[in-house]
Coordinates of all heavy atoms in Angstrom, one line a residue:
M3 N -3.8 -57.5 54.9 CA -4.5 -58.8 54.7 C -5.5 -59.0 55.9 O -5.0 -59.0 57.0 CB -3.4 -59.9 54.6 CG -4.0 -61.3 54.4 SD -4.5 -61.7 52.7 CE -5.2 -63.3 52.9
E4 N -6.6 -59.4 55.6 CA -7.6 -59.6 56.6 C -7.4 -60.9 57.3 O -7.2 -62.0 56.6 CB -9.0 -59.5 55.8 CG -10.2 -59.8 56.6 CD -11.4 -59.6 55.7 OE1 -11.5 -60.3 54.6 OE2 -12.4 -58.8 56.0
S5 N -7.4 -61.0 58.6 CA -7.3 -62.3 59.3 C -8.6 -63.0 59.2 O -9.7 -62.4 58.9 CB -7.0 -62.1 60.8 OG -8.1 -61.6 61.4
I6 N -8.6 -64.4 59.5 CA -9.9 -65.1 59.4 C -10.9 -64.6 60.5 O -12.1 -64.7 60.3 CB -9.7 -66.6 59.4 CG1 -9.1 -67.1 60.7 CG2 -8.9 -67.1 58.2 CD1 -9.1 -68.6 60.8
H7 N -10.4 -64.1 61.6 CA -11.2 -63.5 62.6 C -11.9 -62.2 62.1 O -13.1 -62.1 62.2 CB -10.4 -63.1 63.9 CG -10.1 -64.3 64.7 ND1 -8.9 -65.1 64.4 CD2 -10.7 -64.9 65.7 CE1 -8.8 -66.1 65.3 NE2 -9.9 -66.0 66.1
E8 N -11.1 -61.4 61.4 CA -11.7 -60.2 60.9 C -12.7 -60.5 59.8 O -13.8 -59.9 59.7 CB -10.6 -59.3 60.3 CG -9.7 -58.6 61.4 CD -8.4 -58.1 60.8 OE1 -8.0 -58.4 59.7 OE2 -7.8 -57.3 61.6
K9 N -12.4 -61.5 58.9 CA -13.3 -61.9 57.9 C -14.6 -62.4 58.5 O -15.7 -62.1 57.9 CB -12.6 -62.8 56.9 CG -13.5 -63.2 55.7 CD -12.8 -64.0 54.7 CE -13.8 -64.4 53.6 NZ -13.2 -65.3 52.7
A10 N -14.4 -63.2 59.5 CA -15.6 -63.8 60.1 C -16.5 -62.7 60.7 O -17.8 -62.7 60.5 CB -15.2 -64.8 61.3
L11 N -16.0 -61.7 61.3 CA -16.8 -60.5 61.8 C -17.4 -59.8 60.6 O -18.6 -59.4 60.7 CB -15.9 -59.6 62.6 CG -15.6 -60.0 64.0 CD1 -14.6 -59.0 64.6 CD2 -16.9 -60.1 64.8
R12 N -16.7 -59.7 59.5 CA -17.3 -59.0 58.4 C -18.5 -59.8 57.8 O -19.5 -59.2 57.4 CB -16.2 -58.8 57.3 CG -16.7 -58.2 56.0 CD -15.6 -57.7 55.1 NE -14.7 -58.7 54.6 CZ -15.0 -59.6 53.7 NH1 -16.2 -59.6 53.1 NH2 -14.1 -60.5 53.3
L13 N -18.3 -61.1 57.7 CA -19.4 -62.0 57.2 C -20.6 -61.9 58.1 O -21.7 -61.8 57.6 CB -18.9 -63.4 57.1 CG -17.9 -63.7 56.0 CD1 -17.3 -65.1 56.2 CD2 -18.4 -63.6 54.6
I14 N -20.4 -61.9 59.4 CA -21.5 -61.8 60.3 C -22.2 -60.5 60.1 O -23.4 -60.4 60.1 CB -21.0 -62.0 61.7 CG1 -20.5 -63.4 62.0 CG2 -22.2 -61.7 62.8 CD1 -19.7 -63.6 63.2
G15 N -21.4 -59.4 60.1 CA -22.0 -58.1 59.9 C -22.8 -57.9 58.7 O -23.7 -57.1 58.6
A16 N -22.4 -58.6 57.6 CA -23.1 -58.6 56.4 C -24.3 -59.5 56.3 O -25.0 -59.6 55.3 CB -22.1 -59.0 55.2
G17 N -24.5 -60.2 57.4 CA -25.7 -61.1 57.4 C -25.5 -62.3 56.6 O -26.4 -62.9 56.1
A18 N -24.2 -62.8 56.4 CA -23.9 -63.8 55.5 C -24.1 -65.2 56.2 O -24.1 -66.3 55.5 CB -22.5 -63.7 55.1
V19 N -24.4 -65.3 57.4 CA -24.5 -66.6 58.1 C -26.0 -66.9 58.3 O -26.8 -66.1 58.9 CB -23.9 -66.6 59.5 CG1 -24.1 -67.9 60.3 CG2 -22.4 -66.2 59.4
T20 N -26.4 -68.0 57.8 CA -27.8 -68.5 58.0 C -27.7 -69.9 58.7 O -27.1 -70.9 58.2 CB -28.5 -68.8 56.6 OG1 -28.5 -67.6 55.9 CG2 -29.9 -69.3 56.8
I21 N -28.2 -69.9 59.9 CA -28.2 -71.2 60.7 C -29.5 -71.9 60.4 O -30.6 -71.4 60.7 CB -28.0 -70.9 62.2 CG1 -26.6 -70.3 62.4 CG2 -28.2 -72.2 63.0 CD1 -26.1 -70.3 63.8
R22 N -29.3 -73.1 59.8 CA -30.5 -73.8 59.5 C -31.0 -74.7 60.6 O -32.2 -75.0 60.7 CB -30.2 -74.7 58.2 CG -30.1 -73.9 57.0 CD -29.8 -74.8 55.8 NE -28.6 -75.6 55.9 CZ -28.1 -76.3 55.0 NH1 -28.6 -76.4 53.8 NH2 -27.0 -76.9 55.2
F23 N -30.0 -75.2 61.4 CA -30.4 -76.0 62.6 C -29.3 -75.8 63.6 O -28.1 -75.9 63.3 CB -30.5 -77.5 62.2 CG -30.7 -78.4 63.3 CD1 -32.0 -78.5 63.9 CD2 -29.7 -79.1 63.9 CE1 -32.2 -79.3 65.0 CE2 -29.9 -79.9 65.0 CZ -31.2 -80.0 65.5
Q24 N -29.8 -75.6 64.8 CA -28.8 -75.6 65.9 C -29.3 -76.4 67.1 O -30.3 -76.0 67.7 CB -28.6 -74.1 66.4 CG -27.6 -74.0 67.5 CD -27.3 -72.5 67.9 OE1 -27.8 -71.6 67.3 NE2 -26.6 -72.3 69.0
G25 N -28.7 -77.5 67.3 CA -29.1 -78.4 68.4 C -28.0 -78.4 69.5 O -27.1 -77.7 69.4
D26 N -28.2 -79.3 70.4 CA -27.2 -79.5 71.5 C -25.8 -80.0 71.0 O -24.8 -79.7 71.5 CB -27.7 -80.4 72.6 CG -28.8 -79.8 73.3 OD1 -29.0 -78.6 73.3 OD2 -29.6 -80.6 74.0
H27 N -25.9 -80.7 69.9 CA -24.6 -81.4 69.5 C -24.2 -81.0 68.0 O -23.1 -81.3 67.6 CB -24.7 -82.9 69.6 CG -25.1 -83.3 71.0 ND1 -24.2 -83.2 72.0 CD2 -26.2 -83.8 71.5 CE1 -24.8 -83.6 73.1 NE2 -26.0 -84.0 72.8
V28 N -25.2 -80.5 67.3 CA -24.9 -80.2 65.9 C -25.4 -78.8 65.5 O -26.4 -78.4 65.9 CB -25.6 -81.3 64.9 CG1 -25.3 -80.9 63.5 CG2 -25.1 -82.7 65.3
I29 N -24.5 -78.2 64.7 CA -25.0 -76.9 64.1 C -24.9 -77.1 62.6 O -23.8 -77.5 62.1 CB -24.1 -75.7 64.5 CG1 -24.1 -75.5 66.1 CG2 -24.6 -74.4 63.9 CD1 -23.0 -74.6 66.6
D30 N -25.9 -76.7 61.9 CA -26.0 -76.9 60.4 C -26.3 -75.5 59.9 O -27.3 -74.9 60.2 CB -27.1 -77.9 60.1 CG -27.1 -78.2 58.6 OD1 -26.3 -77.7 57.8 OD2 -27.9 -79.0 58.2
A31 N -25.3 -75.0 59.1 CA -25.5 -73.6 58.6 C -25.0 -73.4 57.2 O -24.3 -74.3 56.6 CB -24.7 -72.6 59.5
D32 N -25.4 -72.3 56.6 CA -24.8 -71.8 55.3 C -24.2 -70.5 55.5 O -24.7 -69.7 56.2 CB -26.0 -71.6 54.3 CG -26.5 -72.9 53.7 OD1 -25.6 -73.8 53.5 OD2 -27.7 -73.0 53.3
V33 N -23.0 -70.4 54.8 CA -22.3 -69.1 54.9 C -22.1 -68.5 53.4 O -21.6 -69.3 52.6 CB -21.0 -69.1 55.6 CG1 -20.3 -67.8 55.6 CG2 -21.1 -69.7 57.0
H34 N -22.6 -67.4 53.3 CA -22.4 -66.7 51.9 C -21.1 -66.1 51.9 O -20.9 -65.0 52.4 CB -23.5 -65.7 51.6 CG -24.9 -66.4 51.6 ND1 -25.4 -67.1 50.6 CD2 -25.8 -66.4 52.6 CE1 -26.7 -67.5 50.9 NE2 -26.9 -67.1 52.2
G35 N -20.1 -66.8 51.4 CA -18.7 -66.2 51.3 C -18.5 -65.3 50.2 O -19.5 -64.9 49.5
D36 N -17.3 -64.8 50.0 CA -17.0 -63.8 49.0 C -17.2 -64.4 47.6 O -17.5 -63.7 46.6 CB -15.6 -63.4 49.1 CG -15.3 -62.6 50.4 OD1 -16.3 -62.1 50.9 OD2 -14.2 -62.4 50.8
H37 N -17.1 -65.7 47.4 CA -17.1 -66.3 46.1 C -18.3 -67.3 45.9 O -18.7 -67.6 44.8 CB -15.8 -67.0 45.8 CG -14.6 -66.1 46.0 ND1 -14.4 -65.1 45.2 CD2 -13.7 -66.1 46.9 CE1 -13.3 -64.5 45.6 NE2 -12.9 -65.0 46.6
D38 N -18.8 -67.8 47.0 CA -19.8 -68.9 46.9 C -20.5 -69.0 48.2 O -20.1 -68.4 49.2 CB -19.1 -70.2 46.5 CG -20.0 -71.1 45.7 OD1 -21.2 -70.9 45.8 OD2 -19.5 -72.0 45.0
T39 N -21.5 -69.9 48.3 CA -22.2 -70.2 49.5 C -21.7 -71.6 50.0 O -21.7 -72.5 49.2 CB -23.7 -70.2 49.3 OG1 -24.1 -68.9 48.9 CG2 -24.4 -70.6 50.6
Y40 N -21.2 -71.6 51.2 CA -20.6 -72.8 51.7 C -21.4 -73.5 52.9 O -21.7 -72.8 53.8 CB -19.2 -72.6 52.2 CG -18.3 -72.0 51.2 CD1 -17.8 -70.7 51.3 CD2 -18.0 -72.7 50.0 CE1 -17.0 -70.2 50.3 CE2 -17.2 -72.2 49.0 CZ -16.7 -70.9 49.2 OH -15.9 -70.3 48.2
P41 N -21.8 -74.7 52.7 CA -22.5 -75.4 53.8 C -21.4 -75.7 55.0 O -20.3 -76.1 54.7 CB -23.0 -76.7 53.3 CG -22.9 -76.5 51.8 CD -21.8 -75.6 51.5
V42 N -21.8 -75.4 56.2 CA -21.0 -75.7 57.4 C -21.7 -76.5 58.3 O -22.8 -76.3 58.7 CB -20.6 -74.3 58.1 CG1 -19.8 -74.6 59.3 CG2 -19.8 -73.4 57.1
V43 N -21.0 -77.7 58.7 CA -21.6 -78.5 59.8 C -20.6 -78.6 60.8 O -19.5 -78.9 60.7 CB -21.9 -80.0 59.2 CG1 -22.4 -80.8 60.3 CG2 -22.9 -79.9 58.0
I44 N -21.1 -78.4 62.1 CA -20.2 -78.5 63.2 C -20.8 -79.5 64.2 O -22.0 -79.3 64.6 CB -20.1 -77.1 63.9 CG1 -19.4 -76.1 63.0 CG2 -19.4 -77.2 65.3 CD1 -19.5 -74.6 63.5
E45 N -20.1 -80.5 64.5 CA -20.5 -81.5 65.5 C -19.7 -81.1 66.7 O -18.5 -81.2 66.8 CB -20.1 -82.9 65.0 CG -20.9 -83.3 63.8 CD -20.5 -84.6 63.2 OE1 -20.3 -85.6 64.0 OE2 -20.4 -84.7 62.0
I46 N -20.4 -80.6 67.7 CA -19.8 -79.9 68.8 C -18.9 -81.0 69.6 O -19.4 -82.0 70.0 CB -20.9 -79.3 69.7 CG1 -21.5 -78.2 68.9 CG2 -20.2 -78.8 71.0 CD1 -22.8 -77.7 69.5
G47 N -17.7 -80.6 69.8 CA -16.8 -81.5 70.6 C -16.2 -82.6 69.7 O -15.4 -83.4 70.2
D48 N -16.6 -82.6 68.4 CA -16.1 -83.7 67.6 C -15.4 -83.1 66.4 O -14.1 -83.0 66.4 CB -17.2 -84.6 67.2 CG -16.8 -85.8 66.5 OD1 -15.6 -86.0 66.4 OD2 -17.6 -86.6 66.0
R49 N -16.1 -82.7 65.4 CA -15.4 -82.2 64.2 C -16.2 -81.1 63.6 O -17.4 -81.0 63.8 CB -15.1 -83.3 63.2 CG -16.4 -84.0 62.7 CD -16.1 -85.2 61.9 NE -17.3 -86.0 61.7 CZ -17.5 -86.7 60.7 NH1 -16.7 -86.7 59.7 NH2 -18.7 -87.3 60.6
E50 N -15.5 -80.3 62.8 CA -16.1 -79.2 62.1 C -15.8 -79.3 60.6 O -14.7 -79.6 60.2 CB -15.5 -77.8 62.6 CG -15.6 -77.8 64.1 CD -14.6 -76.7 64.6 OE1 -13.8 -76.2 63.9 OE2 -14.8 -76.4 65.8
R51 N -16.8 -79.0 59.8 CA -16.6 -79.2 58.4 C -17.2 -78.0 57.6 O -18.4 -77.6 57.9 CB -17.3 -80.4 57.8 CG -16.4 -81.6 57.6 CD -17.2 -82.8 57.1 NE -18.4 -82.9 58.0 CZ -19.5 -83.5 57.6 NH1 -19.6 -84.0 56.4 NH2 -20.5 -83.6 58.4
C52 N -16.4 -77.4 56.8 CA -16.9 -76.4 55.9 C -16.5 -76.8 54.5 O -15.4 -77.4 54.3 CB -16.3 -75.0 56.2 SG -16.7 -73.7 55.1
M53 N -17.4 -76.6 53.6 CA -17.2 -77.1 52.2 C -16.3 -76.1 51.3 O -16.3 -76.3 50.1 CB -18.5 -77.4 51.5 CG -19.4 -78.4 52.3 SD -18.5 -79.9 52.4 CE -19.5 -80.7 53.7
C54 N -15.8 -75.1 51.9 CA -15.0 -74.2 51.1 C -13.6 -74.8 50.8 O -13.2 -75.8 51.4 CB -14.8 -72.8 51.8 SG -13.6 -72.8 53.2
P55 N -12.9 -74.2 49.9 CA -11.6 -74.7 49.5 C -10.4 -74.6 50.5 O -9.4 -75.3 50.4 CB -11.1 -73.9 48.2 CG -12.4 -73.2 47.8 CD -13.2 -73.1 49.1
A56 N -10.6 -73.8 51.5 CA -9.6 -73.6 52.5 C -9.5 -74.9 53.4 O -10.5 -75.5 53.7 CB -9.9 -72.4 53.5
S57 N -8.3 -75.2 53.8 CA -8.1 -76.4 54.6 C -7.9 -75.9 56.1 O -7.5 -74.8 56.3 CB -6.9 -77.2 54.2 OG -5.7 -76.4 54.3
G58 N -8.4 -76.7 57.0 CA -8.4 -76.4 58.4 C -9.4 -75.3 58.8 O -10.4 -75.2 58.1
D59 N -9.1 -74.5 59.8 CA -10.0 -73.5 60.3 C -10.2 -72.4 59.2 O -9.2 -72.0 58.6 CB -9.6 -72.9 61.5 CG -9.7 -73.9 62.7 OD1 -10.8 -74.6 62.7 OD2 -8.8 -74.0 63.5
C60 N -11.4 -72.0 59.0 CA -11.6 -70.9 58.0 C -12.6 -69.9 58.7 O -13.2 -70.2 59.7 CB -12.2 -71.5 56.7 SG -13.8 -72.2 56.9
S61 N -12.7 -68.8 58.0 CA -13.6 -67.7 58.5 C -15.1 -68.2 58.6 O -15.8 -67.7 59.5 CB -13.5 -66.5 57.6 OG -13.9 -66.8 56.3
H62 N -15.5 -69.1 57.7 CA -16.9 -69.5 57.7 C -17.2 -70.3 59.0 O -18.2 -70.1 59.6 CB -17.1 -70.4 56.5 CG -16.6 -69.8 55.2 ND1 -15.5 -70.4 54.5 CD2 -16.8 -68.6 54.6 CE1 -15.2 -69.6 53.5 NE2 -16.0 -68.6 53.5
L63 N -16.3 -71.2 59.4 CA -16.5 -71.9 60.6 C -16.6 -71.0 61.8 O -17.4 -71.1 62.7 CB -15.3 -72.9 60.8 CG -15.4 -74.2 60.0 CD1 -14.1 -75.0 60.1 CD2 -16.5 -75.1 60.4
L64 N -15.6 -70.0 61.8 CA -15.6 -69.1 63.0 C -16.9 -68.3 63.0 O -17.4 -68.0 64.1 CB -14.4 -68.2 62.8 CG -13.1 -68.8 63.1 CD1 -11.9 -67.7 62.9 CD2 -12.9 -69.3 64.5
A65 N -17.3 -67.9 61.8 CA -18.5 -67.0 61.8 C -19.8 -67.8 62.3 O -20.6 -67.3 63.1 CB -18.8 -66.6 60.3
V66 N -19.9 -69.1 61.9 CA -21.0 -69.9 62.4 C -20.9 -70.1 63.9 O -21.9 -70.0 64.6 CB -21.0 -71.2 61.6 CG1 -22.1 -72.2 62.3 CG2 -21.4 -71.0 60.2
L67 N -19.7 -70.4 64.4 CA -19.5 -70.6 65.8 C -20.0 -69.4 66.6 O -20.6 -69.4 67.6 CB -18.1 -71.0 66.1 CG -17.7 -72.4 65.9 CD1 -16.1 -72.6 66.1 CD2 -18.4 -73.3 66.9
A68 N -19.5 -68.2 66.1 CA -19.7 -67.0 66.8 C -21.2 -66.7 66.8 O -21.8 -66.2 67.9 CB -19.0 -65.8 66.2
V69 N -22.0 -66.9 65.7 CA -23.4 -66.7 65.7 C -24.1 -67.6 66.6 O -25.0 -67.3 67.3 CB -23.9 -66.8 64.2 CG1 -25.5 -66.7 64.2 CG2 -23.4 -65.6 63.4
A70 N -23.7 -68.9 66.6 CA -24.3 -69.9 67.4 C -24.1 -69.5 68.9 O -25.0 -69.6 69.8 CB -23.8 -71.3 67.1
L71 N -22.9 -69.1 69.3 CA -22.6 -68.7 70.6 C -23.4 -67.5 71.1 O -23.8 -67.4 72.2 CB -21.1 -68.4 70.8 CG -20.2 -69.6 71.0 CD1 -18.7 -69.3 70.8 CD2 -20.4 -70.3 72.3
Q72 N -23.6 -66.6 70.1 CA -24.4 -65.4 70.4 C -25.8 -65.8 70.8 O -26.4 -65.3 71.7 CB -24.4 -64.5 69.3 CG -25.1 -63.1 69.6 CD -25.0 -62.1 68.5 OE1 -24.8 -62.4 67.3 NE2 -25.1 -60.9 68.8
R73 N -26.4 -66.8 70.0 CA -27.7 -67.3 70.3 C -27.8 -67.9 71.7 O -28.8 -67.8 72.4 CB -28.1 -68.3 69.3 CG -28.4 -67.8 68.0 CD -29.0 -68.9 67.1 NE -29.5 -68.3 65.9 CZ -30.3 -69.1 65.0 NH1 -30.5 -70.4 65.3 NH2 -30.8 -68.7 63.9
N74 N -26.7 -68.6 72.1 CA -26.7 -69.4 73.3 C -26.4 -68.5 74.6 O -26.9 -68.7 75.6 CB -25.8 -70.5 73.3 CG -26.3 -71.7 72.6 OD1 -27.5 -71.8 72.3 ND2 -25.4 -72.7 72.2
T75 N -25.5 -67.5 74.3 CA -25.0 -66.7 75.5 C -25.3 -65.3 75.4 O -25.2 -64.6 76.4 CB -23.4 -66.9 75.5 OG1 -22.9 -66.2 74.4 CG2 -23.0 -68.3 75.5
G76 N -25.7 -64.8 74.3 CA -26.0 -63.4 74.2 C -24.7 -62.5 73.9 O -24.8 -61.3 73.8
L77 N -23.6 -63.2 73.9 CA -22.3 -62.4 73.8 C -22.1 -62.1 72.3 O -22.4 -62.9 71.4 CB -21.1 -63.3 74.3 CG -21.0 -63.6 75.7 CD1 -20.0 -64.6 76.0 CD2 -20.7 -62.3 76.5
P78 N -21.7 -60.8 72.1 CA -21.6 -60.4 70.7 C -20.4 -61.1 70.0 O -19.4 -61.5 70.7 CB -21.3 -58.9 70.8 CG -20.8 -58.7 72.2 CD -21.4 -59.7 73.0
P79 N -20.5 -61.3 68.7 CA -19.4 -62.1 68.0 C -18.0 -61.5 68.2 O -17.0 -62.2 68.2 CB -19.8 -61.9 66.5 CG -21.3 -61.8 66.6 CD -21.6 -61.0 67.8
A80 N -17.9 -60.2 68.4 CA -16.6 -59.6 68.6 C -15.9 -60.2 69.9 O -14.7 -60.3 70.0 CB -16.6 -58.1 68.6
V81 N -16.8 -60.5 70.9 CA -16.3 -61.0 72.1 C -16.0 -62.5 71.9 O -14.9 -63.0 72.3 CB -17.3 -60.8 73.2 CG1 -16.9 -61.5 74.5 CG2 -17.5 -59.3 73.5
T82 N -17.0 -63.3 71.4 CA -16.7 -64.7 71.3 C -15.6 -65.1 70.3 O -14.9 -66.0 70.5 CB -18.1 -65.4 70.9 OG1 -18.5 -64.8 69.7 CG2 -19.1 -65.3 71.9
L83 N -15.4 -64.3 69.3 CA -14.4 -64.6 68.4 C -13.0 -64.5 69.0 O -12.1 -65.2 68.7 CB -14.4 -63.7 67.1 CG -15.4 -64.2 66.0 CD1 -15.4 -63.2 64.9 CD2 -14.9 -65.5 65.5
G84 N -12.9 -63.6 70.0 CA -11.7 -63.6 70.8 C -11.4 -64.7 71.6 O -10.3 -65.0 72.0
K85 N -12.5 -65.6 71.8 CA -12.4 -66.7 72.7 C -12.3 -68.0 71.9 O -12.0 -69.1 72.5 CB -13.6 -66.8 73.6 CG -13.7 -65.7 74.6 CD -14.9 -65.8 75.5 CE -15.0 -64.7 76.5 NZ -16.3 -64.7 77.2
V86 N -12.6 -68.0 70.6 CA -12.5 -69.2 69.8 C -11.1 -69.4 69.3 O -10.6 -68.6 68.6 CB -13.4 -69.1 68.6 CG1 -13.3 -70.3 67.7 CG2 -14.9 -68.9 69.0
G87 N -10.5 -70.4 69.9 CA -9.1 -70.6 69.6 C -8.9 -71.1 68.1 O -9.7 -71.8 67.6
V88 N -7.8 -70.7 67.5 CA -7.5 -71.1 66.2 C -6.1 -71.7 66.2 O -5.2 -71.0 66.7 CB -7.6 -69.9 65.2 CG1 -7.1 -70.5 63.8 CG2 -9.0 -69.4 65.1
Ligands
ZN130 ZN1 -14.9 -72.2 55.0

């Protein structure tokens, strides 16, 4: 069984993450998941929302966070995902 970290890395590797807007406080993205495309909105330091059926943290949120962090820090997703607590 693939962990949500592994799935997030797979989604990123497949180019499934599209960041539509990345600001200082909000990230707005789409993730093409295995079954559907899910809008993801992350309000930094506040709340994170993914429209997929999973409750709580999911691979889509992690994937968006890792791509956004890569843009800001240059760190590869494999590194940042290790730092994103779940
Ligand atoms: Zn999700």
